[in-house]
Amino acid sequence: MVRNPLFKHIDEMVPWNAREHMLECVAWTPEAPDVMTFTFRAEHEHIWFRYLPGQYITLELPVGPEPLLRTYTISSSPSRPFTIAVTVKAQKDSIGTRWMFENLHPGMKIRAIGPLGDFSYVKHPADKYLFISAGSGITPMMAMTRDLGDRDPDTDIAFIHCARSPNDIIFRWELEYKARYMPFFNLGFIVSELERTQLWSGLKGFIDRAKIGLLVPDFLERQVFCCGPEPFMATVRESLISSSFDMENQYFEETFTPELPPPTVGVGDSGEAEKLFTIAFAEAGVRVEAEPGFTILQMARSAGVRIPAACESGICGTCRVKCRSGKVDMQHNGGILDDEMDDGYILACCSRPLSDVEVEA
Ligand SMILES: Cc1cc2nc3c(=O)[nH]c(=O)nc-3n(C[C@H](O)[C@H](O)[C@H](O)COP(=O)(O)OP(=O)(O)OC[C@H]3O[C@@H](n4cnc5c(N)ncnc54)[C@H](O)[C@@H]3O)c2cc1C
């Protein structure tokens, strides 16, 4: 019997297991105004994608002489492991994402770093989930919903998504379809703008405690995952806290907009000038004297050593490097796992030396 050469059983393939990969774009799909899904396959056809739903990758976009690194959640599901997708929203003055809209097309190959991240139901299992998102913050929720829908369609999921207008709801039709075939999938949309003649059966306005209670009366019993712009997440947090929600054990959030690290200073807490330490970049064979208050990433750049970095605020994990010796003060924002720290990894963008250090870069 003749078999299509594209077809392979999963046991004839190997999982994605390096940290850097070449991806080939196979499709782009418009989702909403200024929102596009790009789907990729691995450069080698014998590779399948192994990641957790909710994790992200960083794409190296060849925008100029130096690539621009941008981090995006994988919006597809690991339950369908032959391709991966990212769903990206281009803001008005976007550089990286806009480049993808204008240049990334099927057949083109780009480098990706990852997968990384801890924002996944797999890490925080529960009987009932509440996914709350706004704008492009829907992407990790969609990955988790797709995955749960494939693995266990009986999972109890309440999903609240907020958008500017009905037309801006990303994945609207797929979510409505899931609400029909997943018996315990409860979907609620909230939009802030409606045209006068537009038909709309969802809620109108902005998210608040009353709307969460109305859409999901048993929200206190659920594991909550939240993603969206910071003011939106702040309102969700306040709503939950005012209902005595167990934030410590039942609330998880992902931020897309990095909080910039505190300004660097040249003096320590004691008011004393900081001691000068050396940083050795082992692979580059370069050693520099660290400027007080500067991060390992800043010192690498000043020494001409390239460490890939994207968010530069300890979220995305792209600048992870192994610290072979020495101590650092690392003020990260969740971009590195405890296991990785135990194995000696640090994030160069938010680590400042506390002694002489040697890193693998
Ligand atoms: C863990 C993680 C996951 C992410 N997942 C996604 C995803 O699934 N889909 C997606 O579209 N984006 C996602 N992002 C955000 C993405 O990495 C970029 O920050 C964002 O797309 C802006 O990049 P740009 O090249 O379009 O704009 P830039 O050229 O970097 O910036 C243009 C303007 O947009 C502003 N800006 C930068 N970031 C944001 C932002 N997140 N929201 C609003 N304005 C911003 C800047 O201040 C600037 O004024 C994620 C970020 C992180 C850290």
Side-chain angles (χ1 to χ4, degrees):
M1 193 179 66
V2 182
R3 200 166 91 174
N4 184 322
L6 268 183
F7 182 87
K8 278 197 169 51
H9 290 287
I10 202 154
D11 57 4
E12 297 171 300
M13 302 169 75
V14 292
W16 205 32
N17 56 12
R19 205 162 168 261
E20 284 191 33
H21 323 263
M22 284 307 280
L23 299 179
E24 181 185 337
C25 178
V26 288
W28 54 268
T29 316
E31 302 281 2
D34 285 324
V35 180
M36 192 86 87
T37 292
F38 292 92
T39 305
F40 303 91
R41 67 176 163 220
E43 189 185 24
H44 303 293
E45 76 260 11
H46 60 274
I47 288 178
W48 59 273
F49 293 101
R50 187 180 196 276
Y51 58 96
L52 298 180
Q55 284 193 306
Y56 50 82
I57 50 171
T58 296
L59 300 181
E60 225 179 80
L61 306 173
V63 170
E66 271 296 302
L68 210 56
L69 282 93
R70 289 288 180 269
T71 301
Y72 301 106
T73 303
I74 305 170
S75 55
S76 52
S77 162
S79 54
R80 302 189 185 192
F82 302 121
T83 55
I84 55 166
V86 295
T87 301
V88 304
K89 183 173 174 72
Q91 314 289 338
K92 262 201 202 85
D93 47 358
S94 152
I95 301 171
T97 310
R98 185 65 65 190
W99 178 92
M100 292 170 71
F101 275 52
E102 289 166 4
N103 298 279
L104 190 55
H105 50 76
M108 197 163 171
K109 290 183 182 167
I110 54 172
R111 189 178 300 281
I113 301 164
L116 289 166
D118 220 4
F119 185 69
S120 176
Y121 82 84
V122 179
K123 297 272 177 167
H124 311 286
D127 291 336
K128 300 198 226 181
Y129 298 99
L130 168 55
F131 297 155
I132 309 186
S133 58
S136 56
I138 197 169
T139 51
M141 312 305 172
M142 197 61 200
M144 292 193 274
T145 302
R146 284 171 165 160
D147 190 70
L148 286 164
D150 280 347
R151 287 178 207 273
D152 182 6
D154 282 346
T155 308
D156 188 331
I157 302 173
F159 195 128
I160 301 179
H161 179 65
C162 304
R164 202 159 52 89
S165 75
N167 293 343
D168 290 299
I169 299 175
I170 307 169
F171 307 128
R172 178 174 175 185
W173 311 120
E174 187 180 337
L175 285 169
E176 288 178 342
Y177 171 71
K178 285 201 184 321
R180 286 213 301 277
Y181 91 85
M182 291 174 71
F184 305 104
F185 184 71
N186 163 17
L187 179 63
F189 293 126
I190 305 174
V191 299
S192 52
E193 283 174 22
L194 269 182
E195 283 168 29
R196 230 186 307 155
T197 53
Q198 202 164 13
L199 285 175
W200 178 245
S201 57
L203 296 182
K204 185 166 182 279
F206 294 96
I207 195 150
D208 56 25
R209 186 175 178 276
K211 289 194 185 70
I212 296 174
L214 187 67
L215 291 168
V216 190
D218 63 351
F219 72 92
L220 286 175
E221 297 162 22
R222 292 175 180 268
Q223 201 87 314
V224 174
F225 289 81
C226 180
C227 184
E230 181 44 39
F232 163 84
M233 292 204 289
T235 307
V236 172
R237 285 195 300 270
E238 280 158 26
S239 305
L240 295 176
I241 290 167
S242 69
S243 309
S244 307
F245 188 78
D246 180 357
M247 298 299 281
E248 206 174 313
N249 297 306
Q250 285 176 240
Y251 178 80
F252 308 94
E253 68 175 33
E254 178 93 298
T255 179
F256 284 1
T257 30
E259 225 174 81
L260 291 175
T264 56
V265 288
V267 287
D269 292 344
S270 60
E272 297 281 311
E274 278 180 24
K275 196 168 175 303
L276 288 186
F277 300 114
T278 57
I279 306 174
F281 298 100
E283 280 164 18
V286 174
R287 184 180 294 269
V288 290
E289 201 155 87
E291 294 288 335
F294 276 59
T295 63
I296 306 265
L297 180 65
Q298 288 167 324
M299 293 313 302
R301 283 185 180 147
S302 73
V305 176
R306 184 163 184 269
I307 299 178
C311 74
E312 299 194 22
S313 52
I315 296 176
C316 74
T318 308
C319 61
R320 192 188 71 151
V321 285
K322 189 148 192 169
C323 185
R324 287 186 181 171
S325 64
K327 273 183 155 182
V328 298
D329 170 30
M330 178 165 56
Q331 301 291 331
H332 69 90
N333 278 310
I336 186 161
L337 305 178
D338 290 346
D339 292 355
E340 295 173 320
M341 290 191 274
D342 292 345
D343 289 343
Y345 285 96
I346 59 166
L347 298 183
C349 72
C350 54
S351 297
R352 296 177 171 84
L354 292 175
S355 68
D356 291 344
V357 293
E358 185 184 34
V359 293
E360 262 175 29

